[in-house]
Structure formats: structure tokens, C-alpha cells
Amino acid sequence: MQERGACVTVTTHSQEETAGFGRRLAASLRAGSVLLLVGDLGAGKTALVRGLAEGLGVPPEDVSSPTFTLMQEYRGGRLRLIHVDLYRLNDPREIDELGLEEVGLNSVLAIEWAEKLPRPIAGAIEVRIDHGDGDTRRLTISQSAAQSRDHHVAE
């Protein structure tokens, strides 16, 4: 893991390692934590969420991409996990209608395709996932400059 300024960079070499990072990250999250997941199709966003779920005590096999349902809720762990996929939404009003800030207040909120959000979410943790060679991924984790919530990036 490399740390550059307010960013932490992690390289993984398989879906299992990407999920493993999600498990470690989950240990630092609490109710109200927001993760903004950014990356191309197939980058590993859902693999990371499976790791988050497992780290929160939710069976990872229960996690699937919510591309067509937009939002999945997973209970049974130490915190409720709300998994959102904005891929199919293009109108900011549709995104606002989801009420993400309210939904995530007592949960961990993981938002795939977060670059579609109409405005930043204060205190959110951004996880940018870039493809490398083969199954290699570079995860760059940074925290929103707006610190109205007290979140810390896991190392």
C-alpha cells in the first residue's frame, strides 16, 4: 500500500484480494459511512462490496450488482449495508429521488458509478478502481474534503 497525500493506493491481483481489501475497509466503517465507488465496467466494484459485506458480517454470496434494482439492502451484520448502482441513471433528478443521504444515515452506503452523483456527499470516502494487467487492479482511496461527517480511510 502506498500513501500519497490524502490518498492511499492499494494494488490487488485478483477478485479475492479486492474483496479482502473491502473486508479490511469495513472494519473502519460505522453507521453513516459513505463509499463512492468509481471505475469502469468490470473494474471490481461489486467484488469490493462483497468484501465490505463480509467484513460487516453479511454473507458475501448474498451480494449482487443492483444494476437493475438500483438499490439492495443487506441486513444481519454489525451494520446495515445499502448497495446502490447508478449506472442506468442519467438524470440527476432520478438520483435525488433515491434519497441516498437519508437512506445512508444509519447504514454503510456503497454507491457504484458515484461519478453520476449530482453533487458531492460530505465526508464520503472515494474508492477509484483502475484496471491493470490481467486481474490486477489499482485502488485509490481518498476522503472528501468536506468533513461534516467523521470518517477515516482504512489503511
Side-chain angles (χ1 to χ4, degrees):
M1 179 173 9
Q2 295 178 316
E3 192 165 343
R4 282 183 270 149
C7 292
V8 174
T9 302
V10 175
T11 301
T12 63
H13 303 283
S14 67
Q15 281 191 18
E16 293 78 22
E17 285 185 17
T18 301
F21 177 76
R23 281 190 300 277
R24 291 188 304 279
L25 180 59
S28 69
L29 302 177
R30 64 178 192 283
S33 293
V34 177
L35 297 171
L36 307 176
L37 308 176
V38 178
D40 293 335
L41 277 172
K45 296 180 296 292
T46 301
L48 180 73
V49 174
R50 282 190 186 99
L52 284 171
E54 187 174 10
L56 293 171
V58 174
E61 60 273 8
D62 290 353
V63 175
S64 62
S65 179
T67 300
F68 295 103
T69 57
L70 301 179
M71 190 178 318
Q72 300 274 22
E73 179 179 341
Y74 302 103
R75 294 176 178 261
R78 72 174 179 87
L79 294 169
R80 180 175 67 159
L81 173 62
I82 306 293
H83 183 196
V84 178
D85 188 323
L86 302 179
Y87 182 73
R88 295 181 343 117
L89 299 182
N90 293 309
D91 184 337
R93 291 174 297 191
E94 292 176 305
I95 296 168
D96 281 339
E97 288 172 8
L98 292 174
L100 296 178
E101 291 190 14
E102 295 79 28
V103 167
L105 286 176
N106 297 310
S107 309
V108 170
L109 182 60
I111 305 171
E112 293 192 31
W113 299 96
E115 61 272 26
K116 292 188 169 207
L117 287 168
R119 66 193 145 282
I121 296 177
I125 298 167
E126 180 179 293
V127 180
R128 180 171 299 279
I129 305 174
D130 295 302
H131 287 275
D133 293 332
D135 288 335
T136 300
R137 301 292 188 266
R138 187 178 70 242
L139 289 74
T140 305
I141 303 92
S142 59
Q143 195 159 356
S144 167
Q147 297 289 325
S148 72
R149 297 181 185 187
D150 183 28
H151 302 285
H152 300 286
V153 175
E155 295 184 31

